[in-house]
Structure formats: structure tokens, C-alpha cells
Amino acid sequence: MILWLWLCWGFSTSAGQPDSELMARYLEEELLADYSIMEQVARRVPRQAKFLQRLETRPRMSEFTVKSTIISRYAFTTVSCTMVNSGSEAREAVFEMQIPAAAFISNFTMSIGNKTYYGEVTGKEKKNSSDDKARHKKPPSPTDGRENGYETFKASVFIPRKMQARFLLHYEELLQRRLGKYEYTVSIRPQQLVGRLRVEVNILENSGIVSLEVPPLRNSKHKGSGKVEGDVSPPPSTVVGHTKTLAKVTFSPSVVEQTRIARNGILGDFIIRYDVNRELSVGDVQILNGYFVHYFAPTDLPPLPKNVVFVLDSSASMVGTKLKQTKEALFTILQDLRPEDHFNIIGFSNRIKVWQQDRLVPVTPNNIRDAKKYIHNMSPTGGTNINGALQTGAKLLNDYIAQNDIDARSVSLIIFLTDGRPTVGETQSSKILSNTKDAIHDKFCLFTIGIGNDVDHKLLERMALENCGMMRHFQEDEDAASHLKGFYDEIGTPLLSDIRVDYPEDSVEQVTQNFFPNYFNGSEIIIAGKLINRTSDSLHVEVTASNSKKYILLKTDVAIDQTNRNDIRGVPGLEDGKGDKNYIERAWSYLTIKELLNSRLKTDDNREKDYLMEKAKSMALTYNFVTPFTVLKMREAGVHSEPPQEEFISPSTDGIGEKLQSLQGHKAPPGIRRQQDKQRIKISKTSADGDPHFVIDFPSSKFSVCFNIDGEPGDILRLVSDHKESGVTVNGQLIGAPAPPNGHKKHRTYFSTITILINKPARSYLEITPKRIILDDGERLLLSCGRSAVVRSNSLEVSISANSNVTVTIRDTISFVILIHHYKKPAPYQRNHLGFYISNSKGLSSDSHGLLGQFLNHEVKLLQESLNTSHQQVGQNQTEALKPNPTNTLKVKGRLVPVVWKQRRIYNGQQEVECWFAKNNADKLIDGSYKDYLASHPFDIGTSFGPINSL
């Protein structure tokens, strides 16, 4: 088997209210498709597409799925792709994915046939040209990995005939706030129509989500992207829902919908934009397990006046579209300048032309009009004198600052735009960098823009980094003008200058950059670090800055014990065992590595370069990040056989390991160890499961009692009712199914929903179905039953073993286990359903009631009925002898209940229970009749037997 893997780097740098209930149900909408109908769907593809598919000989992509969780701006993304070779010979399959240039790949796995290959991040060794040529038959071109801030990850394998390959790619990124919003983008370019295509993004923000939007698919290179001019609606099949702190966005177009967007399988970029609530304060400081991250983005501040010099390339290479779009963008930018601003324009090629000699002019209607005329008359000619243009611009701005009584708090900057490399004057990059740094001398910032494929990307990037600016690179396409305008909008409204964020030196260490020359409206300042003293009660934070009116000093003490609020683990993308790494620590490592890379880029000292490289490499290896100094090497994991195919998947009761669901506002319990994976949950026999069959265990009597409840579909049965004392109520709702052939029942019923209501110490509830769980303790959260998770909130803990069971522990004295029953190929009389088991009832009072609860603190006596109807109490040692006798009787609260001996299976995967069975819907066994246990709705708490109340 031949295996190639390469990475192309384009190096850049109210709960409980009706509305809330409806939103929760909206979020939990079942979106998983039945993939077995894929071929039927394919038959509805237009004739031309069918013809192209018949001609296609490459492996068919049957599945392309992207799952992402964004927690406080930090995004974990997992891309899954399955390719099937239905041909008669081995064929090459290429998995190609564009990922954000700012992202770090954290893992990659391939399964080809019955073999699995996993990625191992190792330190990059010095390149050997001969080895490299032998390894890569088709090395990527220099532009493959650099497209508008994206890099291309590519893996190529040969799939044996009649087999499939699955690719699993994980990457992480810290979202940057631009123009007032965070933007998360997924590239959907599978190069062919896909039977199952799905994108699912979950966003959790403690501060609250605002302004969530999903624009149309973006595809700048392909005009046939399905985007209608002026259309701002989400792509077809997109479902968006969110509560205050949680949002879920899904995109799952059918094959027909994909064809309507793009028949070549290049759909475009799926984009989600949102912002969070914020205010003028020290910002949002989040602390977790010895690490902190600080987000600072004040709003509603008056803008600072700015002094700006536009330095524009007008060389011959700018002819045509590039210069035209630059002019269009500048016309708009000039119109956006504020009255308190001052500006000038420099055009350069062989020659350097300054619009207004030796000065910056104020923003007036006449000056804006004259500036537009100057730009309009610029014509492309000659070479590219980058060094001379920057020297002229720096001198112009320096002289203006020195000779004029400008506002001390104004912001000065140069915006430099070019499409090429230096060809005139000084052409050595190192000297251009040195000259520029000396000319600017830390007095203002330089922002650089590159257009097209011929720019010296590293030169522009380093110039910006060394002079407190930013660099943007845009392709020459129809959107270049809007890109230019968008970049100016990012830096066009400075709100603060000289921002410094300080923490006590004896409290923190290894803090990322904490001084920033400017803060622009719509952006965000992010600092992260480690706590020295984890036992401290608080972290002192001070922010100093200046704006147009005054200097600002903000102070606060952040409580370190807020880890309950930030402990979010086990997010999608961490299935490789890194689930115990918290997102704040990973955000800190991400920022630290980025800063090390930038520092190395800026320095000319070889020793310092080596030191920074080794430091970045060491941290990247620790956190399993693929960086310019680390590489992903594939190792074979061995042969794995497929699990046996069974009609019914019986749920196991295996314990839950260290994978923890990421949920805002909840803390995962400490001390969970890997050994727990092999532990087995203890389940008592006391349960309600199946059709439903009830079992009550009486340990002191050493026997069990069982009964059936023949309810109606839609009935809600009160299983445990102890609301007044322990504050706990459990209700179970029935779903119907046809009776099996030749059965004595008219229908079957199963538990479709278990609702657990808790009123002490605080109100909360859980609503559990075979697919999802809603946890509401003041903040509504949605969990999938298909993912292992542990969530702790106050005195409540919820543990999920994926597709198997849910354990609910209340105040460490009450435990319920809900088993999840899934059928692979259900018969008409079968339904996915739940089983309810009581594992620990110590915390329930002696007054607890319900179909199960009434027996938890009471004993029953087993009697033998003789022919003369006299009763004889049976001792424990006589129970065995009485099993065959059909006339045995139970004495329950003074009532005599005839029972028969039965064997009954309980669905913990291995047990069968021998029990005394009470007929006729437990007549005389339970207090009243079973209809007395019907709740009016799932949240009915019933404070005593009979009366009905609501939570």
C-alpha cells in the first residue's frame, strides 16, 4: 500500500419559561440522516450529474462531516471524510481540506480497509533535498497552501478494491474579533457530490451570545456558488438555534441541494459570525485549573483622532483590475475619514509622488475631493521602490508629529499597499526591514496589504510585525475592493492607545503579550497566563489606557474560585485522549506559540532564532500542535476487526472515563481517572424497564417483587415522588408500539422520556430521551446521549456513557441510572426507549411515593395460602420451597396480594431476576390503582399521593 501525506503551509499568521422551553426543543431537533437511503436520493440527481458520476472512476466520497465546538472563542474542529472504492482495482483517493492559516492541526487518523494509521506530532528535522524528492512525487506549488488566509491539508492513499477509507482531521484555533464579530469558517470543497454532508457547530459563551448570523456560502473564485446577489439568507438546509449562552448551527444539504449550489462539489465557505455581551470594564477573565485567559474589548468609547499616510503601489504590475479596485476602495475609505483626522497620499513606482508635500491635511470636503482626483489620475508605470516609498512616508509622518501640536492621544499610522516585490532602489529584504524600523522608530504603526500572488509575503508580514501593525493578503479577484475596505474598517476607528494589562508579579507567570499600542473598535485584546498561587482567592487585574478624553485606569479582583463557571472539557475534536486538557490552557499554549513564531520572524539573531524555535517546538509537542517546527508522521496502529452486527444493541453499564462534555456554566467533577473506564456501574434490581416491567428488590427479605403497568401511549407515570422531603420527583412518559403477532396485548408501551425534577437546594430538572438530555439548573444545556460526558452543577452530577446509560447523582445520596436502548433494525413492535433504575436511595425520605418510591423504605411479607385459607408467614429459609406453589400471597401494608413465581430479565446487559409477580396492573400491591400515578405533564411534582402540582 502506498501512502503519501503532506501539509501545505502558506505561512501567515429564565429557565423554565415557555420561550426557553420552545428554544430548547428547537435545539434538540433530530438532524441525523438515514444514510441507507443515499442511493435513492442519488436517483433524483439531474441527468447531467448522473452522467458525470458514471464517468467518474475515482473513489466516491460517501460522507463529509464537520463537527465543531467553540468555547469562549476557542474552536475545536473535527473533519470526518469517508471514501469508497467500488471499483474492481485499487484506486487513489485524495483527502484535501482547506483550514484557516491561524489554526493548528492537533491530530489526523486514517483507516484504510482493516488498517488504521494515526498521526504522531514530532519535531521537524532538517530537510534533505534528495529524501524530499523521493518522498513527494508531486510537491505542492508555492501557492497551494496560501489562499486568503487558508492553508491546504492533503493526504493521498490507495484504497483496495471494494473497500473504503476514512479520514479524521482535528484542528484548533482561537477566533479573532474583527469588525465587531468573531468569524468561524469551514471550507466545504469535497470536489464531488456527497451522499452525506453535514456541518454542525456548537457555540458556548459565558458572556452571552449576540448578533449570531449565517451568511450565504462564500466562494470568491467560483461565481456559480449559489449565492444570489443581495441575498443574505443562510445556505439552504441551514438550521440555527440559540439560547442566551448556547448556539447550535447545522448545515446538511441533500445531494439535490448540493447540485443546485455547485455540481462540481465546490460549495464554498460556510461562515458563522457572532459576538458576545461586553461592557467597559477590565473585560472577561476566565480561570481554570491554574490558567487564565483575559478578553478585553470595551465598547461605546469615542474614537481617537488619527494621522494616516496612504502609501500606494502604482507600478506597471498594478495595471488593470488591481489598480482599479485599489482606487475604488480608497474612494470609499476617504469618505469615511472623520473631521478630526489628518491624512496624505503617496504613490510609488520608480518614482515616488507625494500628493501634499511636507504635511498632512485635515479632512475637509475640498481636501477629500482633491484627494480623489489625485487617486483617479494615478497610472501604472515603472518598477517597485518599496524602500523609498516607506522612507518617504515615515519621514512625512515623523515631521508632521514633530512640527505640529497634535493631540497627544491621537493615533498615527501608515497604510502600505503593494502587489509585488522590490525591483527598484534597495531590493534586499533585510535592509528594507532595518531601514523601515529605524525610520519609524516605534513612534507609529505600519499596516501592510499585499494583493495577488507575486507579493513578498514574508517581507510584508515582518514589516508589520516589527512596527506594531498587521498584514493582510488578498487574491486578485472580484472581492478585492471590499477586502481592502474591510481591512481599513478594522483599523479605521482607534478607541484606545497605549493599553497595558497588569497582574501582580507574585500571582502570575508566563503571561503572553500585555502591552498594545492601539485598540481598534471591533477588535479584541487577548492575554493568557499561568497562576503561581492556585490557592489564592482572587486575581488582581489592572488595565491602563488612554482615549480621546482621558486616561483610563480599570481595576478589579477576579475570584479564582470561578472554575465552576469555566470547567468545560471533552469537546468534540478531543477524542484522542486530550479531553483532560482544558480549553483555557490550550488557548494559552496557542497564544504563546503564536508569539514565539512572530518573535522568531522578527529577529535577525541566529542564536535567538534557534532558541525561539526550540521553545516553540517543545510547547507544540506538549500540546500536539502541528507548527512550522513540528510535523505529522503516520504510524500504523494495527488491524481492527469490525464489531459484530446485532439486531439489538444491548446497553452496557461501563463506567465513564475522562471524556467530559463541554457545557457552559457547569463543572466537571475533579479526580476522574482513566481506571474508571473499566469499572462497572452498580445497578440495583429496583427498576422500570421494557414494556414497562417493574421490579422492586427487598434485600432484607431476600426476594424481589415484579409487576406490569399496561398504560396507554402518552401516559406519564410518576415513578418517584418525594418533592416535600428530598425535593426529588421522577416521571416517565410512555410511547406506543404495535403488539407482536399473536400476542395477548393490543399494543406495547415503552418509556420514551424520563424527567427528573429537583427542588433542593435549588430548582433544576433533567429531561432524558434516547437521543438527548436537557439539563436546566438556571441555564439550559443540551447534551447528546451519543457522546460520553460528565457534568456537575452545584449538588447535581450527570454522567453519560455514550449510547449506553446516564447516571444522575443528587447530593451524593441519591443515584438513578437510565439505560438507553437502541435497536439497529427495530421490528414494528420495537421502539428505542429508556429503562429507569434506582442505584442509591439513601437520600430519599421514608415518605417517598410513586410506583417505585413507595416501596423503597417498606418491607413486604411473603405468606403461603393453605386449602383452608389460613395464612402462614414464611421465613426466609422457606422461600425456595414455596416457589412452585401458585397460591402464594404477599402482605403489603395490611393488604393481601396473590403472586406467582416468574423469571424476568432486567436490561443491564447480563441479569435475569427471579421475582414474585403481581397481576392486574399491581392491583392491591400499590396504593390505589395505577391511574392514581398518572401525571398531567412531565413537570408535575404531585406533593402527595393523589393531588397534582406543577414545578
Side-chain angles (χ1 to χ4, degrees):
M1 183 178 294
I2 303 175
L3 173 67
W4 290 293
L5 175 68
W6 64 88
L7 186 63
C8 308
W9 288 98
F11 191 70
S12 312
T13 339
S14 184
Q17 296 178 354
D19 290 345
S20 182
E21 181 72 25
L22 288 174
M23 178 58 69
R25 295 196 180 278
Y26 178 67
L27 285 172
E28 69 201 41
E29 178 183 3
E30 178 54 56
L31 294 171
L32 295 178
D34 181 2
Y35 310 132
S36 64
I37 67 170
M38 183 186 65
E39 296 300 331
Q40 299 176 21
V41 174
R43 294 193 186 105
R44 298 195 295 272
V45 176
R47 185 176 303 169
Q48 297 90 339
K50 286 176 61 181
F51 177 73
L52 291 174
Q53 289 177 350
R54 287 198 301 268
L55 292 179
E56 187 61 74
T57 59
R58 61 183 174 177
R60 173 176 55 86
M61 187 179 295
S62 63
E63 173 255 350
F64 181 85
T65 304
V66 180
K67 296 189 70 174
S68 175
T69 296
I70 303 171
I71 312 168
S72 294
R73 297 78 150 169
Y74 196 77
F76 299 85
T77 302
T78 300
V79 182
S80 173
C81 175
T82 301
M83 294 188 182
V84 179
N85 178 15
S86 56
S88 58
E89 58 183 20
R91 299 191 186 279
E92 183 183 25
V94 178
F95 168 65
E96 187 172 319
M97 182 70 187
Q98 288 187 1
I99 66 173
F104 287 146
I105 291 172
S106 56
N107 204 352
F108 179 64
T109 306
M110 297 187 300
S111 296
I112 302 106
N114 61 354
K115 291 187 177 181
T116 299
Y117 302 85
Y118 65 93
E120 179 182 336
V121 178
T122 62
K124 184 178 290 186
E125 300 174 357
K126 291 185 178 180
K127 292 183 179 180
N128 185 308
S129 58
S130 60
D131 292 344
D132 194 61
K133 289 179 181 177
R135 187 182 302 114
H136 303 296
K137 292 186 177 182
K138 285 186 177 181
S141 65
T143 59
D144 280 346
R146 187 187 311 137
E147 181 181 338
N148 291 340
Y150 288 89
E151 292 165 348
T152 300
F153 177 90
K154 185 181 292 185
S156 175
V157 299
F158 273 85
I159 305 176
R161 68 185 190 92
K162 307 298 182 182
M163 300 188 80
Q164 70 177 23
R166 183 168 184 252
F167 305 90
L168 205 61
L169 175 68
H170 307 265
Y171 62 87
E172 303 174 21
E173 60 182 310
L174 183 61
L175 302 184
Q176 301 298 310
R177 187 169 182 256
R178 294 174 180 170
L179 302 177
K181 291 191 176 182
Y182 305 98
E183 182 174 291
Y184 176 77
T185 304
V186 175
S187 175
I188 307 176
R189 292 171 169 81
Q191 312 294 325
Q192 57 179 284
L193 301 177
V194 183
R196 179 201 178 196
L197 192 153
R198 179 178 171 85
V199 177
E200 178 181 317
V201 181
N202 295 281
I203 306 171
L204 302 105
E205 293 286 353
N206 289 336
S207 304
I209 299 171
V210 296
S211 305
L212 179 68
E213 64 180 41
V214 183
L217 291 171
R218 178 178 65 194
N219 193 332
S220 59
K221 282 194 169 184
H222 301 272
K223 294 183 179 181
S225 62
K227 180 178 177 180
V228 180
E229 190 67 28
D231 182 20
V232 294
S233 59
S237 80
T238 300
V239 178
V240 181
H242 70 91
T243 59
K244 180 181 178 181
T245 58
L246 168 68
K248 180 176 182 177
V249 181
T250 59
F251 173 60
S252 52
S254 65
V255 176
V256 175
E257 289 171 320
Q258 294 173 49
T259 307
R260 291 171 182 165
I261 297 171
R263 295 185 181 181
N264 59 2
I266 302 177
L267 277 65
D269 295 328
F270 184 76
I271 303 167
I272 298 173
R273 299 190 184 104
Y274 74 96
D275 199 17
V276 300
N277 289 315
R278 61 187 80 249
E279 59 185 12
L280 178 58
S281 66
V282 297
D284 180 16
V285 181
Q286 301 182 20
I287 301 171
L288 177 61
N289 294 341
Y291 293 85
F292 74 90
V293 62
H294 183 178
Y295 301 101
F296 181 66
T299 58
D300 300 326
L301 295 172
L304 299 173
K306 59 181 177 290
N307 313 304
V308 56
V309 176
F310 299 97
V311 183
L312 309 175
D313 189 345
S314 61
S315 61
S317 59
M318 288 285 289
V319 67
T321 303
K322 285 185 280 190
L323 187 57
K324 178 184 177 182
Q325 293 180 343
T326 299
K327 290 180 178 181
E328 291 175 359
L330 260 294
F331 290 158
T332 306
I333 289 170
L334 290 174
Q335 205 64 44
D336 289 345
L337 292 173
R338 297 181 176 84
E340 62 270 20
D341 295 339
H342 291 76
F343 73 104
N344 204 338
I345 302 168
I346 297 174
F348 73 95
S349 56
N350 295 51
R351 301 169 56 193
I352 298 167
K353 301 177 181 179
V354 181
W355 171 51
Q356 298 287 340
Q357 290 292 330
D358 303 327
R359 63 181 181 138
L360 270 66
V361 300
V363 175
T364 65
N366 288 340
N367 285 338
I368 295 298
R369 180 198 62 204
D370 293 343
K372 288 182 177 180
K373 288 181 180 179
Y374 175 79
I375 293 172
H376 176 74
N377 292 328
M378 290 177 64
S379 58
T381 181
T384 308
N385 188 352
I386 290 178
N387 183 73
L390 287 171
Q391 294 297 305
T392 302
K395 183 177 186 303
L396 183 65
L397 197 50
N398 274 317
D399 290 347
Y400 175 77
I401 294 172
Q403 296 171 9
N404 293 273
D405 186 20
I406 66 170
D407 191 325
R409 288 181 286 278
S410 64
V411 173
S412 300
L413 52 106
I414 293 178
I415 298 177
F416 176 83
L417 181 147
T418 184
D419 76 328
R421 300 170 181 270
T423 59
V424 176
E426 182 58 67
T427 58
Q428 290 188 28
S429 295
S430 59
K431 290 187 178 180
I432 294 175
L433 289 167
S434 177
N435 293 341
T436 303
K437 189 171 180 61
D438 290 343
I440 292 176
H441 203 61
D442 296 328
K443 291 182 179 179
F444 46 85
C445 296
L446 170 64
F447 297 86
T448 60
I449 302 170
I451 301 179
N453 295 327
D454 297 328
V455 296
D456 189 334
H457 189 276
K458 288 188 176 180
L459 173 63
L460 297 183
E461 182 181 37
R462 184 168 171 183
M463 281 197 302
L465 287 174
E466 289 185 349
N467 297 284
C468 70
M470 295 184 292
M471 182 264 184
R472 290 287 185 272
H473 179 209
F474 306 123
Q475 295 297 317
E476 182 185 358
D477 58 27
E478 65 274 11
D479 292 326
S482 62
H483 288 322
L484 292 172
K485 177 60 170 59
F487 180 56
Y488 172 79
D489 289 343
E490 289 184 49
I491 61 177
T493 309
L495 298 182
L496 294 173
S497 61
D498 301 328
I499 306 100
R500 185 176 184 88
V501 185
D502 289 309
Y503 316 90
E505 292 185 0
D506 59 350
S507 298
V508 298
E509 61 181 351
Q510 299 185 45
V511 177
T512 59
Q513 177 185 347
N514 67 333
F515 176 79
F516 304 87
N518 301 298
Y519 165 71
F520 298 99
N521 187 40
S523 65
E524 184 172 57
I525 289 172
I526 307 176
I527 310 103
K530 299 174 66 175
L531 299 179
I532 295 176
N533 183 9
R534 297 192 184 189
T535 61
S536 176
D537 295 330
S538 62
L539 174 65
H540 184 71
V541 182
E542 288 189 5
V543 179
T544 57
S546 64
N547 73 350
S548 61
K549 300 297 182 183
K550 56 185 175 296
Y551 289 93
I552 297 173
L553 173 60
L554 303 172
K555 297 182 181 181
T556 195
D557 290 319
V558 180
I560 292 181
D561 61 2
Q562 285 185 350
T563 52
N564 284 2
R565 181 171 175 262
N566 301 319
D567 197 340
I568 304 171
R569 308 183 186 181
V571 298
L574 294 184
E575 291 87 348
D576 54 359
K578 295 296 187 295
D580 57 338
K581 303 295 186 181
N582 70 70
Y583 75 98
I584 294 181
E585 180 181 356
R586 296 188 78 80
W588 166 77
S589 65
Y590 176 97
L591 284 172
T592 302
I593 292 173
K594 289 291 184 182
E595 289 188 4
L596 291 169
L597 296 177
N598 288 339
S599 297
R600 184 179 184 275
L601 185 63
K602 291 190 291 186
T603 185
D604 290 321
D605 187 292
N606 289 331
R607 287 187 178 181
E608 186 177 3
K609 278 182 178 290
D610 290 342
Y611 167 77
L612 293 170
M613 179 187 71
E614 291 301 323
K615 193 172 181 180
K617 182 193 297 185
S618 175
M619 182 166 285
L621 292 174
T622 300
Y623 291 93
N624 218 61
F625 287 148
V626 178
T627 69
F629 309 129
T630 53
V631 66
L632 199 62
K633 291 187 177 181
M634 303 307 295
R635 312 287 188 193
E636 184 173 349
V639 177
H640 299 276
S641 60
E642 290 295 322
Q645 300 297 317
E646 298 179 353
E647 291 296 310
F648 174 69
I649 304 176
S650 180
S652 71
T653 55
D654 289 346
I656 297 160
E658 59 189 354
K659 293 184 179 179
L660 308 177
Q661 176 68 36
S662 60
L663 292 172
Q664 180 272 335
H666 294 76
K667 179 185 178 183
I672 292 180
R673 300 180 299 275
R674 184 176 299 276
Q675 287 80 355
Q676 285 181 291
D677 292 338
K678 297 183 179 180
Q679 295 178 354
R680 183 168 292 278
I681 292 176
K682 295 180 180 178
I683 296 181
S684 77
K685 299 174 185 177
T686 302
S687 60
D689 206 339
D691 189 11
H693 304 312
F694 289 75
V695 177
I696 303 153
D697 188 34
F698 296 98
S700 61
S701 300
K702 296 186 177 179
F703 63 78
S704 299
V705 177
C706 50
F707 59 92
N708 294 346
I709 293 294
D710 295 327
E712 296 294 327
D715 282 354
I716 300 172
L717 305 182
R718 185 173 295 112
L719 304 178
V720 177
S721 178
D722 195 29
H723 189 74
K724 280 189 173 180
E725 301 299 328
S726 66
V728 175
T729 301
V730 182
N731 296 326
Q733 185 164 8
L734 299 178
I735 188 174
N742 303 320
H744 65 282
K745 291 185 177 183
K746 62 180 180 180
H747 57 241
R748 283 188 167 189
T749 53
Y750 304 94
F751 284 118
S752 62
T753 305
I754 299 292
T755 304
I756 302 174
L757 311 164
I758 306 160
N759 199 39
K760 296 179 180 180
R763 177 196 173 280
S764 59
Y765 75 83
L766 286 117
E767 189 175 274
I768 304 168
T769 73
K771 288 189 175 297
R772 56 97 186 107
I773 300 169
I774 294 176
L775 168 60
D776 189 334
D777 61 349
E779 292 178 338
R780 182 184 299 274
L781 305 171
L782 187 67
L783 305 97
S784 168
C785 290
R787 184 174 297 280
S788 295
V790 177
V791 180
R792 173 175 290 173
S793 174
N794 298 323
S795 58
L796 174 67
E797 180 182 309
V798 181
S799 302
I800 305 172
S801 182
N803 296 316
S804 175
N805 60 72
V806 179
T807 302
V808 179
T809 304
I810 305 166
R811 298 188 294 275
D812 295 325
T813 59
I814 303 171
S815 294
F816 304 129
V817 177
I818 295 88
L819 298 189
I820 303 169
H821 301 286
H822 281 292
Y823 294 89
K824 264 198 168 183
K825 296 179 180 179
Y829 53 86
Q830 294 175 322
R831 296 288 185 270
N832 292 339
H833 64 280
L834 302 173
F836 175 75
Y837 292 73
I838 299 177
S839 178
N840 181 3
S841 61
K842 291 180 180 178
L844 294 172
S845 74
S846 59
D847 294 328
S848 63
H849 212 272
L851 286 169
L852 293 176
Q854 63 186 296
F855 300 106
L856 296 177
N857 293 288
H858 295 279
E859 288 296 325
V860 299
K861 295 180 181 179
L862 182 63
L863 308 175
Q864 183 179 25
E865 185 173 346
S866 62
L867 294 177
N868 61 6
T869 68
S870 63
H871 298 90
Q872 177 182 356
Q873 183 169 332
V874 179
Q876 295 177 7
N877 59 345
Q878 294 177 282
T879 304
E880 293 292 327
L882 296 178
K883 291 178 184 176
N885 194 330
T887 58
N888 289 319
T889 303
L890 291 178
K891 187 175 183 179
V892 182
K893 299 180 182 180
R895 302 185 296 266
L896 299 181
V897 185
V899 292
V900 296
W901 187 252
K902 274 196 173 185
Q903 283 191 332
R904 171 149 291 174
R905 180 186 176 191
I906 61 173
Y907 297 92
N908 64 353
Q910 62 179 9
Q911 282 186 273
E912 285 191 351
V913 174
E914 294 179 332
C915 61
W916 293 104
F917 179 73
K919 299 180 179 179
N920 301 324
N921 280 327
D923 183 38
K924 297 183 180 180
L925 176 68
I926 59 176
D927 296 336
S929 70
Y930 90 92
K931 291 187 177 181
D932 295 322
Y933 297 86
L934 295 180
S936 60
H937 54 79
F939 301 97
D940 177 2
I941 57 175
T943 54
S944 62
F945 179 61
I948 292 176
N949 288 299
S950 298
L951 184 63

